[in-house]
């Protein structure tokens, strides 16, 4: 159906926005914040803690109060704002600020994910539930792989364009914010 196709496209955009930074996050910590390898690998744990907080609160507290579509939209907006915080953290070069921004990014990603799953369940009839879960998995796998590659390519382009490494990384985060805005439009 047309609605299913639009929702699949929305999922692709959301996933691409959430994962374009995955391959470049650790180098960002190293090159911009002068963090050690051990410190940069911990950045994903801050993101993970945020996701767990977002998951834990959204399903029980946010979706019942705001509704599924509004929750998802707010989550997407918060993801875009989180990228702004990650960029601004680079101006300070203070690792604690980046870690805090990663927790907020994780919370926003958790809100977006739970909201999206809730919306998917509304589209699903009992007899087609497996198809929707499969489509979710396909959207995740396909767009995550594309996003990781794009993040690296955009960073390479940014390093060719800009003299300052912070600007090159910021280009990736700006692109992620733009992709999530496209997802909001599709929503």
């Amino acid at each position: 159906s047309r609605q299913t196709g639009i929702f699949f496209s929305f999922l692709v955009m959301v996933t691409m926005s959430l994962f374009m930074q995955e391959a470049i996050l650790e180098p960002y910590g190293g090159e911009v914040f002068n963090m050690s390898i051990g410190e940069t690998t911990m950045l994903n744990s801050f993101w993970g803690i945020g996701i767990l907080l977002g998951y834990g609160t959204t399903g029980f507290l946010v979706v019942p109060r705001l509704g599924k579509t509004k929750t998802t939209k707010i989550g997407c907006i918060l993801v875009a704002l989180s990228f702004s915080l990650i960029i601004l953290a680079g101006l300070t070069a203070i690792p604690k600020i980046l870690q805090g921004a990663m927790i907020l990014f994780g919370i926003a990603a958790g809100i977006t994910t739970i909201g999206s799953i809730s919306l998917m369940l509304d589209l699903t009839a009992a007899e087609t539930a497996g198809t929707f879960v499969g489509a979710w998995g396909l959207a995740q796998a396909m767009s995550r792989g594309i996003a990781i590659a794009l993040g690296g390519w955009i960073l390479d382009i940014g390093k060719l364009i800009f003299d300052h490494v912070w600007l090159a990384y910021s280009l990736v985060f700006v692109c992620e914010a733009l992709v999530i805005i496209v997802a909001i439009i599709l929503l």
Side-chain angles (χ1 to χ4, degrees):
S1 73
R2 182 177 181 273
Q3 184 179 15
T4 303
I6 292 170
F7 188 72
F8 183 83
S9 299
F10 164 78
L11 289 177
V12 168
M13 293 293 112
V14 166
T15 304
M16 286 180 63
S17 176
L18 295 178
F19 291 100
M20 215 180 287
Q21 53 74 38
E22 189 170 48
I24 64 131
L25 182 61
E26 292 177 28
Y28 181 60
E31 290 187 63
V32 176
F33 294 83
N34 294 316
M35 297 169 75
S36 70
I37 292 173
E39 291 171 321
T40 63
T41 58
M42 292 298 293
L43 291 173
N44 284 314
S45 69
F46 289 101
W47 179 23
I49 289 167
I51 287 174
L52 292 175
L53 291 171
Y55 285 174
T57 58
T58 303
F60 296 110
L61 301 175
V62 181
V63 171
R65 287 182 174 83
L66 298 179
K68 297 166 186 171
T69 304
K70 193 170 190 177
T71 297
T72 307
K73 186 175 185 177
I74 289 170
C76 289
I77 291 167
L78 292 173
V79 166
L81 291 174
S82 296
F83 290 127
S84 299
L85 293 175
I86 292 168
I87 291 168
L88 292 175
L91 286 174
T92 69
I94 299 171
K96 293 286 183 202
I97 295 175
L98 177 60
Q99 292 165 348
M102 291 310 300
I103 290 172
L104 294 175
F105 171 62
I107 291 169
I111 293 168
T112 302
T113 302
I114 295 299
S116 299
I117 290 170
S118 299
L119 283 172
M120 180 187 73
L121 294 175
D122 276 357
L123 292 171
T124 308
E127 57 275 357
T128 61
T131 303
F132 273 87
V133 171
W136 180 282
L138 176 64
Q140 285 276 331
M142 180 182 72
S143 50
R144 188 172 183 175
I146 292 168
I148 291 169
L150 275 176
W153 294 333
I154 293 168
L155 178 60
D156 286 343
I157 291 167
K159 285 183 175 184
L160 290 174
I161 296 171
F162 302 112
D163 290 332
H164 196 285
V165 71
W166 170 76
L167 289 171
Y169 282 99
S170 295
L171 179 62
V172 178
F173 301 126
V174 167
C175 288
E176 286 180 292
L178 292 173
V179 171
I180 201 82
I181 291 168
V182 171
I184 292 169
I185 294 166
L186 288 172
L187 183 62

